[in-house]
Amino acid sequence: EVNPMLGTRGVRLGAMRAGLYEAQVRSLCRAALNAISGGCRPRIEVMIPLINDPAEFRLAREWVRGAQAEVDPEGMLDDSLTVGAMIETPRAALLAREIAQDADFFSFGTNDLTQMTYGLSRDDAGRFMRDYLEKGVFENDPFHSLDLEGVGELILIAVERARSSDKVIEV
């Protein structure tokens, strides 16, 4: 792809490659059931990356729960398996209220969120970042220090909106 950072990755890869997420979740569930039989109490957090839309998250959640049901028809993992959204795009941050209605937790991918908020590729920014820092365009490299005014504000908006939908959502 011309820009693999914006291409077929994250949840989109799962949508294009049928069974990819399900295979991973089946393996995870088998390992967890094995751990339970050995006396352990696993806590499983399946995080869906690069979510952009509530419908996209619901689709991925169905993959996870369907694969769990195949391996765990008795539902032994129902209380220990959670499905969360990786908030890495500005759109996901802005739609956090709606995504939180189906997500058990949120995690923030600040590298990707920074790339997409700034419109900069972390792979290419090194070519001009020193100049930007020396000329005072940026006070800090946004890939080394969280930008509170832009990226931080998106995170704050996402948390506030998510908690308006689900007051106890884990972030």
Side-chain angles (χ1 to χ4, degrees), residues 75-89:
M76 292 176 62
L77 299 174
D78 286 352
D79 293 334
S80 61
L81 189 147
T82 57
V83 185
M86 184 73 145
I87 307 298
E88 300 173 275
T89 69

PDB file of all heavy atoms in Angstrom, residues 75-89:
ATOM      1  N   GLY A  75     -20.015 -21.117  28.548  1.00  0.00           N
ATOM      2  CA  GLY A  75     -19.911 -19.731  28.991  1.00  0.00           C
ATOM      3  C   GLY A  75     -19.019 -19.523  30.202  1.00  0.00           C
ATOM      4  O   GLY A  75     -19.199 -18.557  30.942  1.00  0.00           O
ATOM      5  N   MET A  76     -18.040 -20.392  30.378  1.00  0.00           N
ATOM      6  CA  MET A  76     -17.137 -20.252  31.533  1.00  0.00           C
ATOM      7  C   MET A  76     -16.328 -18.956  31.474  1.00  0.00           C
ATOM      8  O   MET A  76     -15.889 -18.457  32.504  1.00  0.00           O
ATOM      9  CB  MET A  76     -16.194 -21.456  31.619  1.00  0.00           C
ATOM     10  CG  MET A  76     -16.900 -22.748  31.968  1.00  0.00           C
ATOM     11  SD  MET A  76     -15.781 -24.160  31.961  1.00  0.00           S
ATOM     12  CE  MET A  76     -14.644 -23.706  33.248  1.00  0.00           C
ATOM     13  N   LEU A  77     -16.146 -18.418  30.282  1.00  0.00           N
ATOM     14  CA  LEU A  77     -15.338 -17.211  30.123  1.00  0.00           C
ATOM     15  C   LEU A  77     -16.164 -15.929  30.049  1.00  0.00           C
ATOM     16  O   LEU A  77     -15.613 -14.836  29.898  1.00  0.00           O
ATOM     17  CB  LEU A  77     -14.477 -17.323  28.852  1.00  0.00           C
ATOM     18  CG  LEU A  77     -13.488 -18.475  28.820  1.00  0.00           C
ATOM     19  CD1 LEU A  77     -12.811 -18.551  27.460  1.00  0.00           C
ATOM     20  CD2 LEU A  77     -12.465 -18.335  29.924  1.00  0.00           C
ATOM     21  N   ASP A  78     -17.487 -16.067  30.158  1.00  0.00           N
ATOM     22  CA  ASP A  78     -18.356 -14.901  29.989  1.00  0.00           C
ATOM     23  C   ASP A  78     -17.972 -13.733  30.892  1.00  0.00           C
ATOM     24  O   ASP A  78     -17.982 -12.576  30.461  1.00  0.00           O
ATOM     25  CB  ASP A  78     -19.818 -15.269  30.241  1.00  0.00           C
ATOM     26  CG  ASP A  78     -20.417 -16.072  29.099  1.00  0.00           C
ATOM     27  OD1 ASP A  78     -19.760 -16.225  28.055  1.00  0.00           O
ATOM     28  OD2 ASP A  78     -21.549 -16.570  29.268  1.00  0.00           O
ATOM     29  N   ASP A  79     -17.634 -14.006  32.141  1.00  0.00           N
ATOM     30  CA  ASP A  79     -17.315 -12.937  33.085  1.00  0.00           C
ATOM     31  C   ASP A  79     -15.864 -12.488  33.013  1.00  0.00           C
ATOM     32  O   ASP A  79     -15.520 -11.426  33.547  1.00  0.00           O
ATOM     33  CB  ASP A  79     -17.640 -13.371  34.517  1.00  0.00           C
ATOM     34  CG  ASP A  79     -19.129 -13.557  34.737  1.00  0.00           C
ATOM     35  OD1 ASP A  79     -19.917 -12.906  34.012  1.00  0.00           O
ATOM     36  OD2 ASP A  79     -19.504 -14.351  35.619  1.00  0.00           O
ATOM     37  N   SER A  80     -15.003 -13.273  32.391  1.00  0.00           N
ATOM     38  CA  SER A  80     -13.580 -12.916  32.377  1.00  0.00           C
ATOM     39  C   SER A  80     -13.100 -12.399  31.027  1.00  0.00           C
ATOM     40  O   SER A  80     -11.979 -11.912  30.924  1.00  0.00           O
ATOM     41  CB  SER A  80     -12.724 -14.112  32.805  1.00  0.00           C
ATOM     42  OG  SER A  80     -12.904 -15.195  31.926  1.00  0.00           O
ATOM     43  N   LEU A  81     -13.927 -12.463  29.985  1.00  0.00           N
ATOM     44  CA  LEU A  81     -13.528 -11.981  28.662  1.00  0.00           C
ATOM     45  C   LEU A  81     -14.257 -10.675  28.368  1.00  0.00           C
ATOM     46  O   LEU A  81     -15.486 -10.620  28.377  1.00  0.00           O
ATOM     47  CB  LEU A  81     -13.852 -13.015  27.581  1.00  0.00           C
ATOM     48  CG  LEU A  81     -13.279 -12.710  26.198  1.00  0.00           C
ATOM     49  CD1 LEU A  81     -12.935 -14.011  25.475  1.00  0.00           C
ATOM     50  CD2 LEU A  81     -14.187 -11.882  25.343  1.00  0.00           C
ATOM     51  N   THR A  82     -13.476  -9.639  28.147  1.00  0.00           N
ATOM     52  CA  THR A  82     -14.040  -8.342  27.793  1.00  0.00           C
ATOM     53  C   THR A  82     -13.537  -7.948  26.412  1.00  0.00           C
ATOM     54  O   THR A  82     -12.472  -8.387  25.975  1.00  0.00           O
ATOM     55  CB  THR A  82     -13.670  -7.263  28.826  1.00  0.00           C
ATOM     56  OG1 THR A  82     -12.248  -7.194  28.941  1.00  0.00           O
ATOM     57  CG2 THR A  82     -14.275  -7.568  30.192  1.00  0.00           C
ATOM     58  N   VAL A  83     -14.318  -7.106  25.746  1.00  0.00           N
ATOM     59  CA  VAL A  83     -13.967  -6.654  24.400  1.00  0.00           C
ATOM     60  C   VAL A  83     -13.953  -5.126  24.412  1.00  0.00           C
ATOM     61  O   VAL A  83     -14.949  -4.489  24.761  1.00  0.00           O
ATOM     62  CB  VAL A  83     -14.970  -7.168  23.346  1.00  0.00           C
ATOM     63  CG1 VAL A  83     -14.513  -6.776  21.943  1.00  0.00           C
ATOM     64  CG2 VAL A  83     -15.155  -8.677  23.460  1.00  0.00           C
ATOM     65  N   GLY A  84     -12.807  -4.575  24.048  1.00  0.00           N
ATOM     66  CA  GLY A  84     -12.655  -3.130  24.075  1.00  0.00           C
ATOM     67  C   GLY A  84     -12.246  -2.554  22.745  1.00  0.00           C
ATOM     68  O   GLY A  84     -11.850  -3.270  21.822  1.00  0.00           O
ATOM     69  N   ALA A  85     -12.335  -1.252  22.668  1.00  0.00           N
ATOM     70  CA  ALA A  85     -11.993  -0.517  21.451  1.00  0.00           C
ATOM     71  C   ALA A  85     -10.694   0.242  21.659  1.00  0.00           C
ATOM     72  O   ALA A  85     -10.517   0.919  22.669  1.00  0.00           O
ATOM     73  CB  ALA A  85     -13.111   0.460  21.097  1.00  0.00           C
ATOM     74  N   MET A  86      -9.818   0.121  20.686  1.00  0.00           N
ATOM     75  CA  MET A  86      -8.592   0.920  20.674  1.00  0.00           C
ATOM     76  C   MET A  86      -8.928   2.209  19.937  1.00  0.00           C
ATOM     77  O   MET A  86      -9.234   2.182  18.739  1.00  0.00           O
ATOM     78  CB  MET A  86      -7.476   0.159  19.976  1.00  0.00           C
ATOM     79  CG  MET A  86      -6.159   0.870  20.001  1.00  0.00           C
ATOM     80  SD  MET A  86      -5.421   0.832  21.622  1.00  0.00           S
ATOM     81  CE  MET A  86      -3.712   0.702  21.200  1.00  0.00           C
ATOM     82  N   ILE A  87      -8.926   3.304  20.656  1.00  0.00           N
ATOM     83  CA  ILE A  87      -9.269   4.602  20.089  1.00  0.00           C
ATOM     84  C   ILE A  87      -7.984   5.211  19.534  1.00  0.00           C
ATOM     85  O   ILE A  87      -7.130   5.679  20.289  1.00  0.00           O
ATOM     86  CB  ILE A  87      -9.922   5.514  21.145  1.00  0.00           C
ATOM     87  CG1 ILE A  87     -11.111   4.824  21.818  1.00  0.00           C
ATOM     88  CG2 ILE A  87     -10.316   6.856  20.526  1.00  0.00           C
ATOM     89  CD1 ILE A  87     -12.250   4.447  20.898  1.00  0.00           C
ATOM     90  N   GLU A  88      -7.872   5.174  18.205  1.00  0.00           N
ATOM     91  CA  GLU A  88      -6.648   5.626  17.548  1.00  0.00           C
ATOM     92  C   GLU A  88      -6.911   6.619  16.426  1.00  0.00           C
ATOM     93  O   GLU A  88      -5.969   7.066  15.784  1.00  0.00           O
ATOM     94  CB  GLU A  88      -5.909   4.418  16.950  1.00  0.00           C
ATOM     95  CG  GLU A  88      -5.505   3.390  17.978  1.00  0.00           C
ATOM     96  CD  GLU A  88      -4.938   2.150  17.357  1.00  0.00           C
ATOM     97  OE1 GLU A  88      -5.721   1.250  16.975  1.00  0.00           O
ATOM     98  OE2 GLU A  88      -3.702   2.080  17.243  1.00  0.00           O
ATOM     99  N   THR A  89      -8.181   6.918  16.188  1.00  0.00           N
ATOM    100  CA  THR A  89      -8.512   7.864  15.127  1.00  0.00           C
ATOM    101  C   THR A  89      -9.333   9.007  15.727  1.00  0.00           C
ATOM    102  O   THR A  89     -10.085   8.806  16.692  1.00  0.00           O
ATOM    103  CB  THR A  89      -9.336   7.201  13.994  1.00  0.00           C
ATOM    104  OG1 THR A  89     -10.633   6.877  14.479  1.00  0.00           O
ATOM    105  CG2 THR A  89      -8.639   5.955  13.451  1.00  0.00           C
TER     106      THR A  89
END
